[in-house]
Amino acid sequence: MSLRSLRLNRRTFLRGAGVSISLPLLEAMSSGAAAATRARAVAPKRLVCIGTEYGMHAPAFFPKTTGTDFAMPELLAPLEKHRRRWTIIEGLDHRVGGGHKGVQAFLTGMRFSFNRGGMYSLDQYAADRIGSETRFASLPLDIGGSNSWSWNRYGVKLQGIGNPQVLFDRLFRQTSAIEQRRRRRELDTRNSILDAVLASARRIDRELGPADRHRFREYLNAIDETERRLKRAGYWLKQPKPSSAGSDAALAASPRGNTGRGDKRLDGMRSMFDLLALALQTDSTRIATLHIPGGNGRFQIDGVNDGYHSLSHHGQDLEKISQLKLIEIEYSRELARFIDRLADTRDGKATLLENTMVFFGSGMGNASSHSNRNLPVLVAGGGFQHGRSLKYEPGKTPLCNLYVTMLQRLGIETGSFGNGTSTLTGFA
Amino acid sequence: MRPRRFILRLVMPVVAATAMLLAPAAGAADPQPFSSVRGFLAKHCVACHGRNKQEGKRRFDSLRPEFSSQATAGTWHDILDQLRAGTMPPRDRPRPDPATARKVVDWITGRLRASGHLRTRPNDAVRRLNRREYNNTLRDLLLIDTSYDPAAGFPDDDRTDGFDTVGASLVFSPALIREAMRAAGDAIDRGVKFGPRPEVRVQRILPREATRPVYRTDEYVKIVTGTGDGFQQFRPGGKSAPQLVQGEYLLRIHATALHTTFKGVGQIDGPVRMKIRVGPPGKTAEAGSRRTIRIVDVPENQPRTFTVRARFEAGQVPIVSFANGHPGSFKNLVKKRYGPEARQNRAPIMKAYDGPQLRVFWMEVEGPLYERWPLPGHERIFGSEIPAEDRDSVRSTLLKFTTRAFRRPVTGDDIEPFLALYDRLRSRGDTFQQAIRSTLQAVICSPGFLYVHTNQAQLDDYAIANRLSYFLWSSMPDERLTDLARRGVLRRSEVRTAEATRMLADPRSRAFVDSFTGQWLELNQLGEMPPDPKRFRDYYRGELESAMRMESRRFFAHVLDKNLDVAHFLDADFTFLNQRLAEHYEIEGVEGPQFRRVQLNPDTPRGGLLGQASILTLTSNGTVTSPVVRGVWVLGNLMGSTPDPPPAGVAELEPDTRGATTIRDQLDRHRNNKRCAVCHRHIDPLGFALEHFDPTGRWRGRYDKRQPIDSSGVLDDGRQVRGFAELKRLLLEDKDRFVDCLVGKLLVYATGSRAESIDPKQARSIVDDSKQRGTKLADLVRLVVASDQFVAPASAATATQPKSPPASSGPRR
């Protein structure tokens, strides 16, 4: 049975059962190639979200004045050269507390609790709507580990890719013919198994009462969606991956040992940023997140001789604060480098930066006092008007309003996200 | 607010609730002429299901009161189903008047029944196996060891009315399908292996294969500190590490200890203890990826070989460490012993180290070991000969397997989809082994396996067998139960009672003990909010938390196994302790890590559930006690009335660990504010009576130097409680209430029905029957199993249960 006729049978069956179902969101299936070409004709928008676990030291991060002529704060010095490429925003938060637990709210606007449901991050929300056109609906990345800021629509946290070599392989290593055959065969097996399972399920469905049937729908929908995913995987299996020739991809991916460790952390960050830029450039994905881990590793920076966690919980000790800033300014440096690189890459008629929103922030406002208020927010690219410092009254404006703005910029029609109920007034 | 909308807001929840309760009046004549039914449809349905719109392809404007044709009767039945379930009219539409709606329901039901088209299809009739049931069923179906937790990747199960056996919360998602497929394939691979028995290999691991950095010579690996993770362990890595396939192995370790009696920095208490684990070869390992097999005492200066049997997953290696060594790095040890400058010079210190140490000379891994070949699960499916590959044999194998997997009789039609799968895979080139493997995998991914079915109007014998075995064993029925089902005798209550006795005596009933206590007593929550390590450092010593859990389980098991009066849960003169827990309770004379029954002195507060540290700890929040949480626990789990959650907008209490105000002062508002008092006058006094137990269940005389404890209170019925002993006494006075509560919980857990659907009359009659014999626990379980509720379909709506099942079962459909 070909996959195509299978799909028709599924729809007929489901409709025939006489219950209306909300079909999953990823609609674009079989015409992946056509859709991709269509999309590229109109330069697509991208979104990159970068988050730290411990925030940024606010007095050195936020400018003292708003507007366009603000004096460059200490931590933003590396970004000064192209200050017109970005905007810094003060006073936003997610209205959640919880200290380190509240950091998980970074892209979801919701605090994590063990009750099911609710956590659905900005990047996954976007990926569910526009991600089907690229090989990777989204790329959650980490540095050295497998953590991420991404929660899918079932409230399940995704694993991030933290190993540069692994990321390189996913992006560029062509699947050999043998492996393709093997994988295709495996997809075929799984599809066939699902067919059998579904046929078996039909017999049971007939015997159920209405409320049970309603719940059984879940089971059937789950199979439906799994089949779509397999189909998608089958499609992309056939597509050749972009070439990495002539790029620094291989260099970026070269093994550096465990980049999760403090002393390798900055190396790892550089690798991930470089590979991410390439991923965007080759349209391998349009949605990505980068998790910058915490931990108490010691960074290889002159003048830093204590662990990151320990410094971030400085308790107002001046020596610790100055060492913390030595670390955080490296983040800014890497961010500046990334932004500049996107600005120097052509993308259709514009630059990659103009078509990519780069959002740098954190779910932690002050790691020393464990406050989740006054979160660091820096937005670059995306075609917005930049070069300004904005300040909102603390506690009055949800950060999720910015997320609404960004979602709309991606072409997604929505007026709300998380606890945000409008776009961010005064921005863009 | 406009009056109409106001009324609607008030009426809507009531109507919705009423709609759920609409049950057809038995044998009602149709007092309602069709014209008013038609009027009802015109008012509430036809707008979306009429001439202009046909939502869901349904149209009612020209529906005739005609019940002999299948099609029309079917449409009427759909209307009936939707009205009864309350799903129609949709929530955002005006609500029908409940009396009229009921009349319509009665009319349709009467007509359908008269014409023979009434299908009583209950809801909540299928429920997915939860994770532990899934694991156990795979274990018993494929005869494999499931301690590797096949369902580990499944999303967590939710609970309804406190239990994970109620279908309402057992949902499905694509993540679960994916995981189920993966787990199914993996489980089949462990239970079904074709070909000749694999050779047993012996692989020796030498010191040079230990991953750096750990000190080693050509002859031994020397381990001097106790940090289990980090580098002080013997763990093979790199290319020469043994590549093991998944299976059971014998692991031999040749080791000795030195300088056990050394005194000074790094000294140990007692002998050197060697921890033997299994885990991944790499340095960085995820939390929980290493599994402890055993901890052994290593004699001084007498090298000997220790042998253990262990399961290895593919790619895992043995890992050996010094369990009771210095709790810090070697660098730390050197600094403490010789001063900070000595840290630069660690190498010679390590070489000549004179403190306690473990020396491992070699390790050996022998396997994979199979007690039988072919594997028992394989043999069960294919027999002991090489399986025939002709289609008829395949068909018959599939039929047998699917019957066992679905746990009820299965027809040729039922296995058609799986045969079709097999055919398809063979025709694309798969071998017999590949194709049959995928086919078996498909069978255990399908709803017939994943769901427990109780969807007939009267449960048939197979459904009863399933319910029995998932109740008392959390797994599939065994041969005997299946045989009784085949003979059609499980519908007889005396047969069920006898089976319950047999099943309780079977070791598989420990699954009932663990999972029921885990949920009823909420033991599964223990460890969710661990006590503050700074203030309760002692909690983390000596595996106190597991000991707490074990006490409650052992106690429940004892009451069950010895069939004791359930009043023991309220107060008892004994409990189960090991040395660590006895220390925690300040009870003397208990030595050793094993648990044993301990008679309690009358002056100890222990005895009964409320004196158990497990419950007292899980009802605290890690830093301070919470009388509210404890009160809610008592109310919900012992007295059968779970209070509603607090209204929105009530801020959480800031724990005041400075002790300036007591918790009683902070909760004062509950007494003084009428809105709060409505619920809190029931809750708080129960919790206050427990205030002498700190957040880890230790007894305390005072909060601290400044604050004494006031554990008095007044119950909602006016009785005074002057403390813990009095609370126990008052609960015992109200023993009936407790038995009611426990029976209710057992019924929910056993039948998967919602609490609101348990027939109160049946519950009461179980309690009354048990009172005649002393309200003993095993008797209660037997009475539950013998009851009519036990053989009635699980239900979300209250319905009058039939008095007894019919004498013969009709065709299963």
Side-chain angles (χ1 to χ4, degrees):
Chain A
M1 196 191 300
S2 78
L3 291 175
R4 191 126 186 275
S5 68
L6 164 75
R7 191 157 150 248
L8 284 174
N9 289 345
R10 171 89 51 272
R11 292 283 162 85
T12 322
F13 160 58
L14 290 175
R15 252 192 236 115
V19 179
S20 62
I21 313 145
S22 60
L23 291 171
L25 301 158
L26 293 181
E27 276 298 333
M29 287 317 307
S30 52
S31 51
T37 328
R38 247 196 340 262
R40 225 170 299 211
V42 178
K45 296 295 189 196
R46 285 85 155 186
L47 172 66
V48 175
C49 303
I50 303 146
T52 73
E53 281 275 353
Y54 299 150
M56 298 289 273
H57 187 63
F61 184 77
F62 292 118
K64 300 285 181 277
T65 57
T66 57
T68 48
D69 303 328
F70 55 90
M72 193 58 53
E74 196 182 331
L75 287 178
L76 300 183
L79 293 153
E80 169 152 30
K81 179 157 167 233
H82 291 121
R83 61 189 286 162
R84 297 255 274 281
R85 287 181 177 164
W86 48 269
T87 306
I88 182 156
I89 308 177
E90 187 178 355
L92 301 177
D93 62 47
H94 280 310
R95 321 290 182 71
V96 302
H100 288 294
K101 291 207 187 101
V103 177
Q104 293 301 321
F106 175 49
L107 292 180
T108 61
M110 270 195 62
R111 186 171 152 179
F112 174 69
S113 81
F114 284 102
N115 296 323
R116 153 195 297 277
M119 298 287 276
Y120 187 17
S121 61
L122 170 66
D123 62 308
Q124 292 307 305
Y125 184 93
D128 284 339
R129 284 152 182 80
I130 68 167
S132 61
E133 297 170 14
T134 49
R135 180 181 291 270
F136 300 101
S138 75
L139 276 180
L141 303 178
D142 190 7
I143 304 180
S146 60
N147 208 337
S148 80
W149 297 119
S150 302
W151 300 76
N152 70 15
R153 70 175 177 283
Y154 302 101
V156 176
K157 188 172 190 189
L158 301 184
Q159 295 214 315
I161 304 170
N163 181 326
Q165 187 65 51
V166 169
L167 182 55
F168 175 86
D169 285 348
R170 296 252 185 112
L171 292 172
F172 300 116
R173 190 175 68 83
Q174 305 293 355
T175 344
S176 67
I178 299 179
E179 198 175 332
Q180 275 208 40
R181 249 202 311 280
R182 189 191 63 77
R183 285 218 226 142
R184 221 193 325 270
R185 192 199 184 78
E186 194 186 301
L187 288 174
D188 189 40
T189 309
R190 281 201 246 166
N191 261 314
S192 303
I193 290 179
L194 287 178
D195 281 348
V197 163
L198 205 53
S200 175
R202 273 182 220 165
R203 309 174 63 82
I204 293 176
D205 189 53
R206 286 206 284 267
E207 303 169 5
L208 299 179
D212 269 333
R213 257 204 175 158
H214 191 70
R215 263 203 300 279
F216 205 57
R217 268 306 148 258
E218 254 172 23
Y219 176 81
L220 299 173
N221 281 346
I223 299 192
D224 200 42
E225 168 137 357
T226 309
E227 286 194 322
R228 284 158 172 269
R229 293 224 186 135
L230 288 178
K231 190 149 180 244
R232 203 184 127 88
Y235 168 76
W236 283 109
L237 188 58
K238 289 200 279 275
Q239 309 307 310
K241 289 189 184 170
S243 160
S244 65
S247 73
D248 55 0
L251 182 63
S254 60
R256 287 165 161 74
N258 177 12
T259 50
R261 284 171 42 151
D263 55 344
K264 301 248 166 53
R265 187 70 70 75
L266 294 175
D267 263 351
M269 194 182 301
R270 162 117 3 149
S271 299
M272 298 317 271
F273 267 126
D274 283 346
L275 287 167
L276 180 53
L278 283 165
L280 294 171
Q281 196 176 344
T282 54
D283 208 26
S284 303
T285 190
R286 296 184 192 154
I287 313 275
T289 58
L290 177 62
H291 172 263
I292 298 182
N296 207 30
R298 188 162 310 184
F299 283 54
Q300 289 264 41
I301 301 174
D302 278 335
V304 172
N305 47 38
D306 202 349
Y308 181 28
H309 178 271
S310 169
L311 294 174
S312 67
H313 292 57
H314 46 72
Q316 301 308 328
D317 176 324
L318 292 175
E319 171 60 24
K320 285 196 173 176
I321 292 177
S322 76
Q323 290 191 28
L324 176 65
K325 289 192 290 190
L326 288 176
I327 295 176
E328 292 182 350
I329 201 166
E330 295 302 321
Y331 295 165
S332 301
R333 229 187 288 284
E334 289 303 323
L335 181 64
R337 191 166 170 276
F338 179 65
I339 292 174
D340 291 346
R341 182 170 173 157
L342 296 186
D344 292 338
T345 308
R346 294 231 61 80
D347 184 42
K349 295 210 176 75
T351 67
L352 193 49
L353 181 63
E354 278 166 60
N355 288 330
T356 306
M357 293 178 279
V358 179
F359 164 47
F360 175 86
S362 175
M364 176 70 81
N366 181 335
S368 183
S369 72
H370 291 120
S371 161
N372 306 102
R373 299 303 189 88
N374 206 26
L375 303 174
V377 175
L378 189 145
V379 184
F384 294 121
Q385 287 261 28
H386 284 304
R388 293 180 297 160
S389 154
L390 299 175
K391 185 168 171 154
Y392 293 84
E393 202 187 327
K396 291 286 186 349
T397 317
L399 174 52
C400 283
N401 281 2
L402 173 64
Y403 295 178
V404 175
T405 305
M406 295 200 289
L407 285 171
Q408 289 185 0
R409 183 56 64 120
L410 288 172
I412 296 169
E413 288 179 19
T414 181
S416 66
F417 178 81
N419 53 20
T421 48
S422 74
T423 55
L424 187 63
T425 48
F427 173 69
Chain B
M1 206 187 295
R2 301 207 329 258
R4 182 159 166 270
R5 289 203 30 217
F6 177 71
I7 290 172
L8 279 178
R9 280 194 192 206
L10 213 49
V11 163
M12 236 159 68
V14 174
V15 172
T18 318
M20 292 297 288
L21 296 178
L22 286 176
D30 49 333
Q32 190 78 8
F34 174 59
S35 58
S36 20
V37 172
R38 192 175 47 207
F40 179 90
L41 291 177
K43 187 169 173 196
H44 293 286
C45 315
V46 160
C48 297
H49 300 287
R51 196 156 56 93
N52 300 327
K53 244 203 294 191
Q54 295 91 42
E55 292 281 345
K57 288 207 172 136
R58 275 172 172 65
R59 182 173 174 165
F60 302 146
D61 54 325
S62 45
L63 187 58
R64 295 175 50 68
E66 210 273 309
F67 293 88
S68 51
S69 102
Q70 188 85 329
T72 331
T75 308
W76 280 112
H77 211 303
D78 283 338
I79 296 176
L80 173 66
D81 287 343
Q82 298 292 347
L83 286 177
R84 275 168 63 171
T87 42
M88 285 288 150
R91 287 292 142 94
D92 56 349
R93 297 292 174 153
R95 307 313 300 167
D97 160 54
T100 318
R102 190 190 314 247
K103 288 201 182 109
V104 172
V105 162
D106 285 352
W107 184 87
I108 303 178
T109 309
R111 285 311 190 94
L112 282 172
R113 184 178 287 128
S115 65
H117 281 113
L118 183 65
R119 303 180 303 245
T120 39
R121 295 195 300 208
N123 293 313
D124 272 353
V126 291
R127 70 163 185 91
R128 174 169 72 68
L129 293 177
N130 59 42
R131 288 171 58 162
R132 53 188 174 77
E133 291 168 340
Y134 178 83
N135 286 349
N136 292 340
T137 311
L138 280 184
R139 176 198 67 204
D140 293 340
L141 178 68
L142 298 171
L143 302 174
I144 55 176
D145 172 359
T146 50
S147 52
Y148 71 95
D149 193 5
F154 289 14
D156 288 333
D157 295 324
D158 278 341
R159 294 192 276 158
T160 302
D161 294 332
F163 293 105
D164 63 2
T165 53
V166 181
S169 47
L170 293 171
V171 295
F172 241 100
S173 65
L176 184 48
I177 293 267
R178 258 202 322 275
E179 271 306 315
M181 281 179 69
R182 196 202 47 77
D186 183 48
I188 302 263
D189 287 340
R190 288 171 194 249
V192 169
K193 292 190 205 278
F194 295 95
R197 182 197 281 257
E199 260 180 44
V200 169
R201 290 181 60 200
V202 178
Q203 299 186 63
R204 193 168 260 238
I205 303 167
L206 298 171
R208 65 165 172 270
E209 285 155 48
T211 13
R212 284 200 240 148
V214 69
Y215 181 81
R216 58 176 194 226
T217 67
D218 276 341
E219 298 194 1
Y220 56 77
V221 170
K222 184 195 299 189
I223 306 177
V224 311
T225 65
T227 42
D229 302 323
F231 47 81
Q232 288 282 324
Q233 54 192 312
F234 183 174
R235 179 191 55 228
K239 299 186 192 63
S240 49
Q243 306 291 335
L244 300 177
V245 299
Q246 189 272 326
E248 292 268 313
Y249 292 81
L250 276 181
L251 174 58
R252 296 187 193 85
I253 302 167
H254 194 73
T256 189
L258 285 177
H259 307 301
T260 310
T261 49
F262 169 86
K263 293 286 172 247
V265 174
Q267 74 184 53
I268 59 174
D269 243 332
V272 165
R273 307 192 71 214
M274 175 167 72
K275 187 189 276 197
I276 304 171
R277 290 188 290 177
V278 158
K283 252 191 291 197
T284 43
E286 288 166 26
S289 62
R290 297 191 190 126
R291 197 181 356 119
T292 303
I293 307 297
R294 199 168 321 161
I295 303 180
V296 296
D297 290 350
V298 182
E300 165 88 16
N301 209 6
Q302 282 175 49
R304 57 165 275 215
T305 307
F306 298 85
T307 306
V308 296
R309 206 183 150 100
R311 164 176 59 88
F312 282 74
E313 295 298 318
Q316 286 190 325
V317 296
I319 301 172
V320 164
S321 56
F322 182 178
N324 56 340
H326 172 79
S329 66
F330 184 60
K331 203 155 102 170
N332 173 272
L333 187 155
V334 164
K335 173 177 138 185
K336 283 201 159 127
R337 187 165 161 185
Y338 298 107
E341 306 76 40
R343 285 180 298 183
Q344 326 286 16
N345 229 7
R346 296 200 296 283
I349 297 178
M350 172 64 94
K351 192 151 175 224
Y353 189 62
D354 61 352
Q357 58 193 264
L358 174 66
R359 291 193 183 185
V360 184
F361 300 94
W362 49 262
M363 297 198 276
E364 213 170 65
V365 184
E366 178 177 336
L369 304 170
Y370 299 107
E371 302 219 339
R372 283 164 50 183
W373 195 268
L375 292 176
H378 180 113
E379 191 173 12
R380 199 75 208 279
I381 300 172
F382 295 107
S384 46
E385 304 300 321
I386 297 181
E389 301 186 13
D390 62 282
R391 204 170 179 284
D392 279 340
S393 303
V394 168
R395 187 170 219 287
S396 123
T397 301
L398 260 184
L399 197 58
K400 268 194 333 211
F401 179 73
T402 311
T403 304
R404 283 177 56 225
F406 287 11
R407 309 176 294 276
R408 57 195 164 91
V410 145
T411 66
D413 281 348
D414 289 329
I415 61 164
E416 258 322 301
F418 304 112
L419 263 179
L421 169 64
Y422 174 81
D423 288 338
R424 177 164 193 286
L425 293 174
R426 288 306 309 262
S427 69
R428 81 158 182 195
D430 281 22
T431 64
F432 163 76
Q433 295 174 6
Q434 290 170 319
I436 197 73
R437 185 253 195 204
S438 299
T439 310
L440 297 178
Q441 181 185 7
V443 170
I444 61 177
C445 287
S446 58
F449 175 79
L450 292 173
Y451 281 77
V452 181
H453 297 260
T454 52
N455 58 329
Q456 298 85 22
Q458 309 294 341
L459 295 202
D460 71 6
D461 274 61
Y462 293 97
I464 296 175
N466 270 280
R467 198 175 250 181
L468 256 177
S469 70
Y470 282 105
F471 174 32
L472 296 177
W473 288 343
S474 297
S475 187
M476 60 187 277
D478 65 351
E479 292 262 16
R480 180 171 159 79
L481 262 181
T482 310
D483 189 53
L484 291 171
R486 203 173 298 128
R487 283 162 36 199
V489 299
L490 280 177
R491 65 210 46 238
R492 305 214 296 252
S493 61
E494 68 276 13
V495 175
R496 295 202 299 277
T497 306
E499 277 303 286
T501 304
R502 170 180 83 91
M503 293 170 79
L504 284 175
D506 185 294
R508 277 171 284 192
S509 63
R510 299 305 92 177
F512 164 63
V513 170
D514 288 349
S515 90
F516 188 72
T517 54
Q519 297 180 65
W520 170 42
L521 305 178
E522 300 181 40
L523 287 184
N524 290 336
Q525 301 284 22
L526 185 61
E528 290 291 311
M529 276 221 263
D532 180 358
K534 285 216 183 68
R535 299 178 64 221
F536 300 102
R537 190 177 301 220
D538 205 48
Y539 182 86
Y540 296 93
R541 186 178 58 80
E543 314 202 327
L544 179 61
E545 195 178 280
S546 332
M548 289 181 181
R549 193 178 285 118
M550 187 60 78
E551 175 191 16
S552 302
R553 279 196 188 147
R554 289 291 298 263
F555 187 76
F556 181 93
H558 184 82
V559 174
L560 179 68
D561 294 339
K562 299 284 186 261
N563 198 19
L564 301 180
D565 187 344
V566 298
H568 284 86
F569 290 126
L570 299 176
D571 195 10
D573 60 0
F574 68 91
T575 188
F576 283 79
L577 301 176
N578 71 356
Q579 181 174 341
R580 180 68 189 89
L581 191 56
E583 276 172 21
H584 191 65
Y585 289 165
E586 294 173 80
I587 292 177
E588 293 185 350
V590 178
E591 281 180 20
Q594 331 82 274
F595 272 80
R596 82 295 308 266
R597 186 184 187 288
V598 173
Q599 196 65 23
L600 295 169
N601 287 330
D603 57 346
T604 167
R606 308 293 165 184
L609 292 173
L610 290 178
Q612 292 178 3
S614 57
I615 289 158
L616 296 163
T617 304
L618 68 94
T619 50
S620 307
N621 66 8
T623 43
V624 292
T625 53
S626 168
V628 174
V629 176
R630 284 184 175 164
V632 168
W633 191 97
V634 173
L635 266 181
N637 296 330
L638 300 182
M639 296 166 79
S641 53
T642 314
D644 289 328
V650 173
E652 278 184 10
L653 281 182
E654 276 293 330
D656 185 346
T657 52
R658 297 163 303 165
T661 42
T662 62
I663 188 79
R664 183 180 285 264
D665 300 330
Q666 289 183 307
L667 290 177
D668 221 32
R669 215 173 310 152
H670 287 172
R671 275 180 298 152
N672 301 337
N673 181 324
K674 268 217 233 350
R675 263 186 80 206
C676 304
V678 150
C679 294
H680 277 275
R681 64 192 170 92
H682 302 283
I683 302 171
D684 295 7
L686 299 168
F688 285 135
L690 297 169
E691 270 297 280
H692 273 288
F693 294 107
D694 80 2
T696 63
R698 276 195 105 110
W699 182 267
R700 56 186 173 187
R702 317 168 61 81
Y703 287 118
D704 58 32
K705 285 196 265 286
R706 281 170 293 167
Q707 304 277 12
I709 296 179
D710 174 6
S711 63
S712 65
V714 180
L715 294 185
D716 58 314
D717 56 14
R719 285 180 292 176
Q720 288 256 10
V721 189
R722 274 176 299 254
F724 180 52
E726 188 142 43
L727 174 64
K728 286 206 275 194
R729 203 170 46 72
L730 292 174
L731 286 172
L732 276 172
E733 272 173 25
D734 260 345
K735 190 177 117 174
D736 270 13
R737 191 167 168 182
F738 168 64
V739 183
D740 269 343
C741 169
L742 181 53
V743 166
K745 305 249 177 224
L746 284 169
L747 281 169
V748 168
Y749 179 79
T751 63
S753 296
R754 305 254 197 131
E756 75 210 12
S757 319
I758 301 291
D759 182 358
K761 288 209 278 285
Q762 293 215 23
R764 194 96 270 280
S765 100
I766 292 175
V767 173
D768 288 339
D769 281 349
S770 82
K771 271 163 80 164
Q772 292 174 10
R773 275 170 291 182
T775 60
K776 301 182 179 170
L777 184 54
D779 288 346
L780 282 176
V781 170
R782 278 187 280 264
L783 287 167
V784 161
V785 156
S787 70
D788 290 336
Q789 178 100 52
F790 191 77
V791 295
S795 182
T798 307
T800 354
Q801 303 297 343
K803 275 302 162 197
S804 55
S808 62
S809 84
R812 182 188 69 82
R813 251 315 183 103

